[in-house]
Amino acid sequence: MSAVVAQCHYSFGLRRGVANNLFYFDEQTVIFPSGNNCVRYHIDQKWQRFIPGLERSQGMYALAISSNRRYLAVSERGERATITVYDLQHEQSRKRKVLNGGDIHVQEFVSMAFSTDSKYIIGQSGAPDYTLFYWMWEKQKVMAMVKTTVAANPVNQVSLNPYDNTQVCVSGNGVFKLFRYAEGVLKQSTFHKQETHNFLSHAWMSEERVIAGTEAGRLMVFESGDLRWDMSVTTKTTMSQDPDSAEGNDEVTPPQLPRVTVITAYSKGFACSAGPGTVCLFERTDDKDNYRKTREIRIPPDQCSHEPSHAEQQQIVSLVISPSEETVVTSTDRGQLYSITLSSAEMSKGEQVQFEFLSHSFHSGSITGLSICIRKPIIATCSLDQSVRIWNVETNTLELYKEFQEEAFSIALHPFGLFVMVGFSDKLRLMNLLIDDVRTFKEFTVRGCRECAFSHGGHLFAAVNGNVIHIYSTTTFENVLNLKGHNGKVRSIAWSGDDSRLVSCGMEGAVYEWNTLTSKRESESVLKSCSYTCVTISPDAKTIFAVGTDCTLKEIQACQILREVPAEDVAYTTIAMSRSGRTLFTGTSIGTIRAIKYPLSIQKDWIEYQAHSSPVTKMVFTFDDQYLLTVSEDGCLLIWKIIDKEGRGLKRDKEITYAEEILITKSDLEEKNQVMLELKTRVEELKMENEYQLRLKDMNYNEKTKELSTKFVQQMESLKTNIQILKTERDNMEVANQETMFEVMEKHSKELQDMESANSQKLMLEYEKYQELQFKSQQMQQDYEKQLQQMDESKTAALEELTLYYEGKMREKLLVLEQCQEESRIQAREFEESRKQMEEDGDREIQDIRIRYERWLRDERETNMRMKRDTGIMKKKFSSLQKDIDNSNVEMERMKLEQQKLQAIVKSLEKDILALKKAIQERDETIQDKEKRIYDLKKKNQELEKFKFVLDYKIKELKKQIEPRENDIKEMKDFSGYGCLLTVFFLNYVKRLLASGDLQMEEELDTFHKKNTQQELDIAALKLKLTTTDKEMHKGLQKVRDVEALVRRFKTDLHNCVGFIQEPKRLKDSIRDLYDRYAQQSDMVRQRWLLCREYARQREHLERNVASLKRKLAQDNVVHHADNVKIMQENVTLISEVNDLRRQLHLVRSQVHDYKSLMGTKGLKQTNTLKALLSPRANPSNMVVRLNEEDEGDRIIHLQRLEIQRLREEIQVLMKIHPYSPPSTAKLPSLQTNT
């Protein structure tokens, strides 16, 4: 036989129980453990590279990757705990160093971490010592070690500060410590006790800041070891429970706590787990000291499971972010890998963001069955996680996946690949492999079938029931044969190539060869000291190979054991032989596989490969001998490529062409065709609608382009004329500038020559003066040196005399100073007493003056208000009567033109409705800002009132010093003030009319918008109700199928019970079993039906309530919107009126003092009349009588003329009584009247 080699080709599964079991190697490659290997998986190209674990490894505990992503550290347990460092940049990921605890016996390393420069690595050992090691790993040198905790408080994670290689953080149950490496020792730098918290994870955010997560769902931020703040990540969704799942379970499980199992930092903040199936993203706030939650990402429910909510209850184990921070990948405690792109999470604002599978859904429990077929490149597996999965060995993908309510123990694919046989705990079911489902169409009463297999022709299949092997016909489903003879449970069966033989082995140590035509035993081999676990047969059906608990491989031929190959200290669990008979592989109880030479030799002659982390349960070759498939209790499926020692694949005897046919039910096909027809009709409708919209847009755009082209042509012509004019002006200016420039240059040259000649003469004179001054300075320097010597001598003598003189003076001044200080203290006391008396006198005088001037101010205010009303009325009447006659007709024509313009604007505004929807929300925010501003202005107004009181007091004092104003005023000012007031009233009235027209058009637009939104809400509600009814219909169909299955099971059990009709005792026991089994189930079915009916009734009631509340909400929104529009319009009008009144008030205040002398006792009557006109109770219609209607225009003009005549007469009377002569400095405006 030529030697063959097995090369690991692909893996489906994730190894659970490993800390930090997920890393990014680069932007497209992740690393995770699978079986007893570490897998490098390329996300886009879907290829895998493998890093095998250590031989005789007893478990993998933790992984760690360096900051530069070059080195991978793997913690494993063999004879002693080791940390193996691999170089990932090497093509084969070669092993660099192996680290251990040295003289200290360490059972396992539970957590590891690299330093930022990748030179150091720390490792935390497990119970009972919990020692922290600090290595320089390239030299395999232990730099320091320290005991971090006691056995009662285990450590969960250790990490190195990414900004400081000497600082280490350790967290665990009641443990949060910071250590610093200095002088060969790890010293604890914090001593705060955190015994009440179980810290599950932590991450470094900065050089001093660490954020830690607890088992109770708390996030705590530490700076330099001190707690700064903490917060909770508890969400309502993590604490809630699905009501549908609660109905199906008899016992309601308590809600899981939101455990923060992992925290990962990135540039914007950090990501952490927030309970079952939830990941939260936190970002830094503006102050960079706090964090806010920006996004919550959840694991989606599994629609292929009978309990979809179970997937949402998975705990997050690892969480990594790609180097470019574009993708987040996470692993769960059920061995699943999920991913999401952060850009899609940020774009879907306001929606629930969910993970997607990174590659495929994996098994989360022990894989119990494995089978292949001939006509298709597919693999079938079943597991204790109640799922059946169909894999494609060519594309390395998961094609079908479904979960059931019972555990699956065995599986067999039909050679055609269209059917699958699955042995469940209650029945053996034959299922169809449809295009998107695995559907049962035949059940057999075989309980707990641990082994089943189709014959190579597919016309028969064998199923094991305890110690009996049943053989059924695939076409008629009849029980053709029952092979009885085993005394123990049958553990394995194998068909011969021509389907005429069936080999079986049992736990009692027997290996039988059966004839499938006569049901007789052809040969047997019994060895009671061995409990067989697997058997296979050679292609020529002459040799049988069996393995069992005695750690040997047996070759059996003609009822005799020819050879026994010992397996040393491990037990073989499964065996497989290639279809060509040239290769023999076995699986062991420690998860390895062995390629054994054939013919067998007694000596050790095999190659061992690291495969799984648990015992291998099944092993099978593909029909072309190109691949070996192995599954294990660790939930992983490994595909091995079979090659020769030169790296070439094995030669195939004949080329196999795979079938591409699939099964689909008639109802599914009709439903899909109907959906396709509906979608086609919808596409046609959308095409027609889009074409119509495009035509409308083309027409509108053509009109706009014509208008714009004409407009632009006119503008271009005008611009051309302007350019021509500017060019001529430029030419003229250039000629003028050249002439002026020539004149300036000539003038400048002449001045320059004159200045040069003058400056040369001055320089000669200055040089002569300089020489004379230099000679004088030398003489003066000699004289000053002599004088300085004399002055120094006189200075020393005078200084001595002055010191003696001033010392005497100082003593005299000190005596005088003491006397002055005493006098100043006496004068200060006297001054304080006099100041107090003067303050009291001043306060009394100020109080008297304040009372007197307050009275005078009240009187002045009353007269001022009276004069304001009088002058305001006079101005309004005068101005309105002058301008109303001419302006009323002009205003009416202008309003008609504006009405036509507004009608055109309404048509254009219909296109902007969608944009205005967004503007409404912005307006609401603006209203809130305005309300805040109004509140601030009110506060400011109160402060101004206080300031006004102080200014009023100052005004009173200043008024005493002002001479009394002149008492007369001109008639023309009265008339002008009166006319202005009437003009203001008329303009305000016209503005109100315009506002009312705009309001009506806006109300119509609002009604159309509300109708559209209401119809959209109705459509969404009907769609939601349709989906709920579809779900309820599917649930009802599933319930009917369950009841039918229950009835079928009851019939078969009743048929078995009738077989004991001659044995009363056994008949009584079987009837009691029937009652215990089905009577309680019927009660449960009825109770569940009642619960479902009550749930449907309550749901219908709640839907009606929600619909009524939606209608009320829509009505309230309409009312509130109308109120808001009305308030905004009133605010605009009021603000304009307030601004006008403020201007008028400013003008009136400047003229108040001139009006006081004019109004006497006889003017009191006129004042009262003006007061009545300006009072709040006065009817505006008495002053301005419906000026906006054409039929009343003549009557208004007549009334205004009469009013002008009356006012002129009153003014003449007043002028006779109080003659008035204007001052020489003031000039009054001329009076112009239009009669």
Side-chain angles (χ1 to χ4, degrees):
M1 167 197 134
S2 61
V4 296
V5 177
Q7 183 180 2
C8 207
H9 176 66
Y10 213 85
S11 172
F12 296 100
L14 174 68
R15 181 170 181 172
R16 302 183 298 276
V18 180
N20 297 330
N21 61 356
L22 187 62
F23 295 105
Y24 259 102
F25 174 64
D26 55 33
E27 192 63 34
Q28 298 297 331
T29 309
V30 294
I31 299 174
F32 58 88
S34 178
N36 201 32
N37 305 292
C38 288
V39 180
R40 293 169 59 178
Y41 173 66
H42 197 280
I43 299 173
D44 290 340
Q45 299 178 8
K46 309 296 183 184
W47 53 257
Q48 291 183 353
R49 301 287 185 269
F50 291 86
I51 305 172
L54 296 178
E55 296 181 2
R56 303 290 179 177
S57 174
Q58 299 177 14
M60 189 183 297
Y61 290 92
L63 300 179
I65 196 168
S66 60
S67 300
N68 57 7
R69 306 182 192 280
R70 177 175 179 178
Y71 303 109
L72 176 70
V74 182
S75 168
E76 294 181 272
R77 180 180 178 182
E79 296 179 357
R80 59 188 304 179
T82 58
I83 296 175
T84 309
V85 181
Y86 296 91
D87 188 354
L88 297 177
Q89 291 187 355
H90 192 268
E91 185 178 356
Q92 302 297 329
S93 299
R94 66 184 180 88
K95 189 187 301 181
R96 286 289 298 269
K97 298 292 180 183
V98 178
L99 310 176
N100 53 48
D103 297 335
I104 300 175
H105 180 70
V106 178
Q107 295 182 357
E108 73 268 357
F109 290 100
V110 297
S111 182
M112 301 176 298
F114 277 94
S115 62
T116 307
D117 57 5
S118 305
K119 293 182 179 179
Y120 304 96
I121 188 172
I122 58 172
Q124 175 66 57
S125 67
D129 296 331
Y130 287 105
T131 305
L132 178 66
F133 293 86
Y134 189 90
W135 285 284
M136 182 183 286
W137 65 270
E138 290 183 344
K139 297 182 179 180
Q140 294 179 313
K141 179 181 178 182
V142 178
M143 306 291 291
M145 63 180 71
V146 66
K147 187 173 182 181
T148 55
T149 183
V150 296
N153 297 326
V155 172
N156 295 320
Q157 184 183 355
V158 296
S159 65
L160 273 165
N161 189 338
Y163 307 95
D164 185 1
N165 292 339
T166 62
Q167 195 170 12
V168 181
C169 181
V170 179
S171 63
N173 189 0
V175 178
F176 187 84
K177 298 178 181 180
L178 294 177
F179 293 89
R180 186 173 293 279
Y181 174 75
E183 299 176 357
V185 180
L186 282 170
K187 297 180 181 179
Q188 185 175 348
S189 57
T190 58
F191 298 92
H192 300 284
K193 293 184 178 180
Q194 301 289 341
E195 297 178 354
T196 59
H197 301 288
N198 183 8
F199 294 98
L200 300 180
S201 58
H202 69 263
W204 290 89
M205 304 302 296
S206 64
E207 188 173 357
E208 298 292 336
R209 178 176 293 183
V210 182
I211 187 165
T214 68
E215 189 176 21
R218 307 292 300 177
L219 286 173
M220 298 185 176
V221 175
F222 297 87
E223 285 191 5
S224 302
D226 298 328
L227 180 63
R228 294 301 181 189
W229 58 268
D230 67 333
M231 63 177 291
S232 176
V233 294
T234 306
T235 57
K236 294 182 180 179
T237 55
T238 57
M239 301 299 291
S240 64
Q241 189 178 8
D242 189 1
D244 296 335
S245 64
E247 288 179 7
N249 298 331
D250 295 335
E251 296 180 358
V252 179
T253 58
Q256 301 184 33
L257 291 174
R259 304 168 70 234
V260 185
T261 54
V262 61
I263 300 175
T264 302
Y266 68 109
S267 60
K268 295 182 180 179
F270 65 92
C272 70
S273 63
T278 306
V279 172
C280 293
L281 299 180
F282 289 83
E283 292 184 2
R284 294 185 183 89
T285 56
D286 294 335
D287 56 4
K288 296 184 179 180
D289 289 331
N290 295 324
Y291 301 89
R292 61 182 179 87
K293 184 164 70 172
T294 58
R295 177 62 61 188
E296 185 176 287
I297 310 170
R298 296 186 60 81
I299 293 176
D302 191 354
Q303 301 301 329
C304 296
S305 174
H306 67 281
E307 289 292 343
S309 61
H310 285 177
E312 297 176 311
Q313 303 302 317
Q314 300 180 83
Q315 288 289 347
I316 305 298
V317 176
S318 292
L319 186 68
V320 294
I321 301 176
S322 62
S324 64
E325 298 184 353
E326 286 290 329
T327 309
V328 177
V329 181
T330 182
S331 64
T332 67
D333 58 344
R334 296 183 188 172
Q336 305 298 329
L337 294 175
Y338 295 94
S339 69
I340 189 172
T341 57
L342 291 178
S343 58
S344 64
E346 292 175 357
M347 288 173 62
S348 58
K349 295 292 184 182
E351 299 178 2
Q352 180 63 51
V353 185
Q354 293 182 341
F355 283 104
E356 297 177 352
F357 283 110
L358 180 66
S359 57
H360 310 288
S361 173
F362 300 141
H363 281 293
S364 60
S366 174
I367 300 178
T368 55
L370 173 66
S371 180
I372 60 169
C373 66
I374 302 174
R375 293 284 292 142
K376 287 189 176 184
I378 58 174
I379 311 166
T381 58
C382 63
S383 172
L384 295 181
D385 60 5
Q386 303 176 347
S387 69
V388 172
R389 298 170 196 261
I390 307 299
W391 314 86
N392 192 312
V393 73
E394 280 194 341
T395 60
N396 298 323
T397 56
L398 176 65
E399 291 198 347
L400 278 178
Y401 156 52
K402 188 172 183 180
E403 284 192 10
F404 299 90
Q405 296 182 356
E406 298 86 11
E407 293 180 346
F409 298 121
S410 60
I411 194 168
L413 266 175
H414 192 272
F416 292 167
L418 300 176
F419 314 103
V420 64
M421 180 73 65
V422 184
F424 292 98
S425 58
D426 59 343
K427 288 285 182 69
L428 178 67
R429 292 182 174 88
L430 184 61
M431 302 180 178
N432 284 330
L433 295 180
L434 302 180
I435 186 172
D436 55 359
D437 193 11
V438 181
R439 194 168 297 173
T440 304
F441 74 94
K442 183 64 178 176
E443 293 183 346
F444 302 92
T445 58
V446 179
R447 292 181 175 276
C449 179
R450 299 283 176 174
E451 287 291 330
C452 62
F454 279 98
S455 62
H456 293 88
H459 60 290
L460 299 174
F461 66 88
V464 174
N465 186 6
N467 55 1
V468 180
I469 302 172
H470 302 286
I471 297 179
Y472 293 88
S473 171
T474 309
T475 55
T476 62
F477 307 121
E478 293 181 356
N479 189 356
V480 179
L481 295 174
N482 292 322
L483 306 180
K484 300 179 180 179
H486 284 281
N487 295 326
K489 291 183 178 181
V490 178
R491 295 296 302 274
S492 179
I493 56 175
W495 290 88
S496 63
D498 57 358
D499 297 333
S500 62
R501 300 283 189 273
L502 180 71
V503 179
S504 63
C505 66
M507 296 179 66
E508 80 280 9
V511 176
Y512 296 146
E513 183 180 0
W514 307 86
N515 189 319
T516 57
L517 300 177
T518 62
S519 72
K520 293 182 179 179
R521 279 187 289 191
E522 296 286 336
S523 64
E524 63 181 30
S525 174
V526 180
L527 184 64
K528 293 185 178 181
S529 62
C530 175
S531 177
Y532 288 109
T533 57
C534 188
V535 68
T536 188
I537 188 170
S538 62
D540 58 3
K542 293 181 180 179
T543 308
I544 300 170
F545 302 95
V547 293
T549 57
D550 60 350
C551 301
T552 58
L553 167 62
K554 297 175 178 63
E555 182 182 1
I556 304 171
Q557 195 172 5
C559 302
Q560 300 292 327
I561 299 175
L562 294 182
R563 295 179 187 85
E564 288 189 17
V565 180
E568 294 184 349
D569 55 349
V570 296
Y572 291 129
T573 57
T574 182
I575 187 171
M577 195 170 196
S578 64
R579 312 292 173 186
S580 61
R582 295 179 294 176
T583 310
L584 190 67
F585 278 85
T586 60
T588 66
S589 59
I590 61 173
T592 60
I593 64 170
R594 291 178 178 178
I596 303 175
K597 278 190 176 183
Y598 183 74
L600 300 176
S601 63
I602 299 176
Q603 297 179 354
K604 175 183 176 181
D605 192 5
W606 62 69
I607 303 173
E608 190 168 19
Y609 302 97
Q610 299 299 315
H612 297 276
S613 60
S614 298
V616 180
T617 55
K618 295 291 179 182
M619 180 185 294
V620 67
F621 276 93
T622 57
F623 276 89
D624 55 1
D625 286 345
Q626 297 296 312
Y627 298 101
L628 172 69
L629 313 173
T630 61
V631 294
S632 170
E633 292 180 4
D634 59 6
C636 296
L637 165 65
L638 290 182
I639 302 175
W640 301 81
K641 179 77 173 175
I642 305 301
I643 58 177
D644 56 18
K645 285 195 173 182
E646 296 178 357
R648 294 174 297 183
L650 299 182
K651 293 182 179 179
R652 303 181 183 181
D653 296 335
K654 58 181 178 178
E655 194 69 25
I656 297 177
T657 57
Y658 294 116
E660 296 182 357
E661 294 83 2
I662 56 172
L663 292 180
I664 186 170
T665 61
K666 185 178 181 181
S667 60
D668 291 342
L669 184 60
E670 290 176 352
E671 184 178 354
K672 291 182 181 297
N673 290 333
Q674 184 64 28
V675 171
M676 289 174 65
L677 289 174
E678 291 176 357
L679 291 174
K680 285 181 180 178
T681 56
R682 179 61 179 162
V683 167
E684 293 297 329
E685 292 174 358
L686 289 173
K687 282 183 179 179
M688 294 177 65
E689 185 177 355
N690 289 332
E691 289 176 357
Y692 175 69
Q693 294 293 335
L694 286 172
R695 285 197 297 271
L696 289 178
K697 288 182 179 180
D698 289 337
M699 292 172 64
N700 293 329
Y701 288 147
N702 289 331
E703 292 177 358
K704 288 182 179 179
T705 51
K706 288 179 181 178
E707 293 176 358
L708 290 172
S709 61
T710 55
K711 182 180 178 181
F712 286 144
V713 167
Q714 294 175 359
Q715 290 179 358
M716 286 170 65
E717 291 177 354
S718 62
L719 289 172
K720 284 180 181 178
T721 55
N722 291 333
I723 289 168
Q724 191 65 31
I725 293 167
L726 291 172
K727 282 182 178 179
T728 56
E729 291 179 355
R730 188 192 66 181
D731 294 337
N732 296 330
M733 290 175 70
E734 283 180 354
V735 172
N737 287 331
Q738 288 177 359
E739 292 176 355
T740 54
M741 182 66 72
F742 181 73
E743 293 175 358
V744 169
M745 291 294 291
E746 288 182 351
K747 185 178 179 181
H748 177 68
S749 60
K750 290 179 181 179
E751 290 178 354
L752 185 63
Q753 291 175 0
D754 296 338
M755 290 175 69
E756 285 180 353
S757 61
N759 287 330
S760 61
Q761 294 175 2
K762 288 180 181 179
L763 283 172
M764 293 297 294
L765 295 172
E766 291 295 332
Y767 181 70
E768 293 175 356
K769 290 180 182 179
Y770 172 71
Q771 288 180 347
E772 293 177 359
L773 291 172
Q774 188 174 9
F775 177 71
K776 290 180 181 180
S777 65
Q778 291 177 357
Q779 292 180 353
M780 289 174 68
Q781 187 174 2
Q782 294 175 1
D783 296 337
Y784 281 129
E785 286 178 356
K786 294 178 181 178
Q787 290 178 7
L788 284 172
Q789 291 177 358
Q790 294 174 1
M791 288 175 70
D792 287 336
E793 294 174 356
S794 61
K795 182 181 178 182
T796 53
L799 184 61
E800 291 177 356
E801 293 177 358
L802 286 172
T803 52
L804 295 174
Y805 173 73
Y806 281 110
E807 283 178 358
K809 283 280 189 182
M810 189 179 292
R811 286 192 292 271
E812 293 176 359
K813 294 296 182 182
L814 288 173
L815 295 174
V816 174
L817 181 62
E818 291 177 357
Q819 293 176 1
C820 291
Q821 288 178 352
E822 185 65 26
E823 290 176 358
S824 65
R825 283 194 291 271
I826 295 168
Q827 290 177 0
R829 286 195 296 271
E830 292 176 354
F831 174 74
E832 288 293 332
E833 291 177 0
S834 61
R835 186 175 62 80
K836 289 179 182 178
Q837 292 176 359
M838 290 173 70
E839 286 178 353
E840 292 175 358
D841 296 338
D843 291 339
R844 284 195 296 271
E845 291 177 359
I846 290 168
Q847 187 68 20
D848 296 338
I849 293 169
R850 186 175 64 82
I851 294 168
R852 186 169 65 253
Y853 278 103
E854 282 179 355
R855 293 174 184 171
W856 183 78
L857 181 61
R858 282 197 298 272
D859 297 337
E860 291 294 327
R861 281 181 179 172
E862 291 176 357
T863 56
N864 190 12
M865 292 299 293
R866 190 166 59 250
M867 296 299 292
K868 282 180 184 178
R869 287 192 288 271
D870 296 342
T871 54
I873 292 170
M874 299 293 284
K875 287 181 180 180
K876 281 176 90 175
K877 287 184 178 180
F878 181 77
S879 62
S880 63
L881 291 172
Q882 276 186 337
K883 297 179 181 178
D884 285 345
I885 296 169
D886 297 328
N887 294 339
S888 59
N889 294 326
V890 175
E891 286 293 324
M892 290 172 66
E893 292 176 359
R894 187 176 61 81
M895 288 171 65
K896 287 180 181 179
L897 294 174
E898 287 180 357
Q899 185 179 4
Q900 293 176 359
K901 291 179 181 178
L902 289 172
Q903 288 177 355
I905 290 170
V906 167
K907 294 179 181 179
S908 63
L909 287 174
E910 290 177 354
K911 299 177 183 178
D912 300 333
I913 290 173
L914 293 174
L916 290 173
K917 288 180 182 178
K918 297 180 181 178
I920 288 168
Q921 186 176 2
E922 296 175 356
R923 293 288 177 85
D924 292 336
E925 295 175 356
T926 306
I927 289 169
Q928 293 177 0
D929 295 335
K930 292 292 184 183
E931 288 176 353
K932 291 180 181 178
R933 188 176 176 186
I934 289 168
Y935 179 74
D936 296 333
L937 289 173
K938 285 181 180 179
K939 285 187 176 179
K940 190 174 180 181
N941 193 13
Q942 292 176 359
E943 295 176 359
L944 290 173
E945 288 291 337
K946 296 177 183 178
F947 186 66
K948 179 185 175 184
F949 179 78
V950 177
L951 291 176
D952 289 338
Y953 179 75
K954 292 182 179 180
I955 289 167
K956 291 175 185 178
E957 292 182 351
L958 292 172
K959 281 181 179 179
K960 290 176 65 178
Q961 301 174 5
I962 298 172
E963 293 180 358
R965 298 285 183 179
E966 296 177 352
N967 297 325
D968 298 332
I969 190 168
K970 274 192 172 184
E971 297 174 357
M972 310 304 281
K973 279 192 177 181
D974 296 337
F975 280 108
S976 65
Y978 185 74
C980 289
L981 189 59
L982 288 177
T983 303
V984 172
F985 274 3
F986 177 71
L987 291 175
N988 290 335
Y989 190 75
V990 171
K991 286 179 182 177
R992 291 192 186 97
L993 289 176
L994 291 174
S996 64
D998 293 340
L999 183 60
Q1000 290 177 359
M1001 287 183 283
E1002 288 182 359
E1003 286 178 353
E1004 291 179 1
L1005 288 175
D1006 292 337
T1007 55
F1008 289 135
H1009 174 63
K1010 289 166 187 172
K1011 288 179 181 179
N1012 289 333
T1013 54
Q1014 183 63 33
Q1015 289 175 359
E1016 289 175 358
L1017 291 172
D1018 294 339
I1019 291 168
L1022 290 173
K1023 286 182 179 179
L1024 181 62
K1025 190 175 288 185
L1026 181 61
T1027 54
T1028 54
T1029 52
D1030 289 339
K1031 290 180 181 178
E1032 289 176 357
M1033 182 185 69
H1034 289 303
K1035 288 182 180 177
L1037 292 175
Q1038 185 64 35
K1039 289 177 183 177
V1040 170
R1041 287 195 289 270
D1042 293 340
V1043 172
E1044 290 176 353
L1046 183 66
V1047 171
R1048 288 196 294 271
R1049 288 200 298 271
F1050 180 74
K1051 286 180 180 179
T1052 54
D1053 291 342
L1054 184 62
H1055 183 267
N1056 294 332
C1057 182
V1058 171
F1060 304 122
I1061 195 69
Q1062 300 298 330
E1063 300 176 8
K1065 193 170 183 180
R1066 295 184 66 183
L1067 180 63
K1068 181 179 179 181
D1069 294 338
S1070 61
I1071 290 172
R1072 183 177 293 146
D1073 292 339
L1074 281 175
Y1075 177 77
D1076 294 338
R1077 189 179 304 156
Y1078 294 103
Q1080 296 178 1
Q1081 289 187 3
S1082 63
D1083 294 339
M1084 288 175 62
V1085 169
R1086 177 172 177 79
Q1087 186 177 5
R1088 187 169 182 178
W1089 178 78
L1090 292 173
L1091 288 172
C1092 292
R1093 189 176 67 179
E1094 180 65 19
Y1095 170 73
R1097 187 182 65 79
Q1098 292 183 3
R1099 180 173 181 172
E1100 186 178 0
H1101 175 67
L1102 291 173
E1103 286 179 352
R1104 289 199 297 271
N1105 290 339
V1106 168
S1108 62
L1109 290 173
K1110 284 182 178 179
R1111 289 194 295 272
K1112 289 181 181 180
L1113 180 62
Q1115 294 174 1
D1116 293 340
N1117 288 332
V1118 171
V1119 174
H1120 291 164
H1121 181 72
D1123 292 340
N1124 288 334
V1125 171
K1126 185 176 180 181
I1127 289 169
M1128 287 173 64
Q1129 293 174 351
E1130 290 177 355
N1131 285 339
V1132 171
T1133 56
L1134 289 173
I1135 288 169
S1136 61
E1137 291 178 2
V1138 167
N1139 292 330
D1140 295 338
L1141 291 173
R1142 282 177 178 170
R1143 288 192 295 270
Q1144 294 174 13
L1145 182 62
H1146 181 70
L1147 293 172
V1148 169
R1149 281 179 177 173
S1150 64
Q1151 299 172 2
V1152 164
H1153 296 289
D1154 297 335
Y1155 294 162
K1156 287 193 295 184
S1157 60
L1158 180 63
M1159 306 304 294
T1161 55
K1162 291 186 178 181
L1164 184 60
K1165 183 178 180 180
Q1166 183 180 357
T1167 302
N1168 294 330
T1169 304
L1170 294 174
K1171 283 184 181 180
L1173 287 171
L1174 290 175
S1175 64
R1177 298 181 181 178
N1179 189 2
S1181 62
N1182 295 331
M1183 295 180 288
V1184 181
V1185 184
R1186 299 176 67 186
L1187 297 176
N1188 61 334
E1189 295 186 10
E1190 296 178 358
D1191 55 351
E1192 296 183 2
D1194 296 335
R1195 189 166 59 86
I1196 291 168
I1197 293 168
H1198 181 67
L1199 291 174
Q1200 290 173 350
R1201 287 177 178 174
L1202 292 175
E1203 185 68 20
I1204 290 169
Q1205 187 66 30
R1206 188 183 62 78
L1207 291 171
R1208 283 178 177 175
E1209 292 174 357
E1210 289 182 0
I1211 291 169
Q1212 289 176 2
V1213 172
L1214 290 172
M1215 290 293 292
K1216 290 178 182 178
I1217 298 170
H1218 302 285
Y1220 171 71
S1221 61
S1224 60
T1225 57
K1227 290 184 179 181
L1228 295 176
S1230 61
L1231 178 62
Q1232 296 178 3
T1233 58
N1234 295 324
T1235 57

